[in-house]
Amino acid sequence: MAIKKGCVTPMAIQVAMNLPDDFEEQIKRDMYSTALEAFKATAKKHPFAEYMQRKDAADYLGISTGKLDQLTRQGLPTIIIDTFKLYRKASLDQWMLDHQI
C-alpha cells in the first residue's frame, strides 16, 4: 500500500472490554468533570460583560463593528444613554436566535 507524504489515513480500532458497572460510572463522572472544567476554562478566556460597548459586542458576535452598526439600524436591540450605546449580551443572543434560519 502506497502512502502519500503528508497524508494520514485514520484507522478505526475497536476494543471490546467488560468493565464493572461502578468502574464504568466512575469513568463517566471523570469525563463529565473534565469536560466541565474545559468549558469553564474556555469561558474564562472569553469573558464578556452583561452589557457591552460596541467593539466588545462586535467581537462577541464575531462580526465587524460596521456590520454591528448595520444590524443596529435593522433593529438589533441597543441601549442608548445620551450618545452612548450599550448592547446587552442576552439581547444579542436572542436576536441571533430570532434570525436563525
Side-chain angles (χ1 to χ4, degrees):
M1 173 161 110
I3 298 177
K4 295 179 183 178
K5 185 176 181 181
C7 181
V8 178
T9 304
M11 231 192 290
I13 299 173
Q14 292 184 357
V15 177
M17 296 172 56
N18 290 324
L19 301 173
D21 290 340
D22 60 332
F23 185 70
E24 185 176 339
E25 289 302 316
Q26 183 61 45
I27 290 174
K28 287 179 184 178
R29 283 192 298 275
D30 290 346
M31 290 177 70
Y32 176 82
S33 175
T34 301
L36 186 59
E37 288 175 29
F39 291 136
K40 287 179 181 179
T42 300
K44 286 181 183 178
K45 289 181 184 178
H46 304 287
F48 288 97
E50 178 62 24
Y51 295 93
M52 296 176 265
Q53 295 182 28
R54 182 174 171 259
K55 174 76 171 96
D56 290 335
D59 288 345
Y60 177 70
L61 294 175
I63 60 175
S64 69
T65 54
K67 184 63 177 177
L68 180 73
D69 294 341
Q70 181 183 7
L71 294 176
T72 300
R73 288 189 296 275
Q74 293 175 7
L76 179 70
T78 309
I79 299 165
I80 301 174
I81 303 170
D82 293 326
T83 58
F84 188 71
K85 290 183 181 181
L86 289 173
Y87 297 86
R88 186 171 178 242
K89 185 178 177 182
S91 297
L92 296 176
D93 291 337
Q94 188 60 53
W95 169 269
M96 296 300 281
L97 289 173
D98 290 347
H99 291 83
Q100 181 176 322
I101 55 173

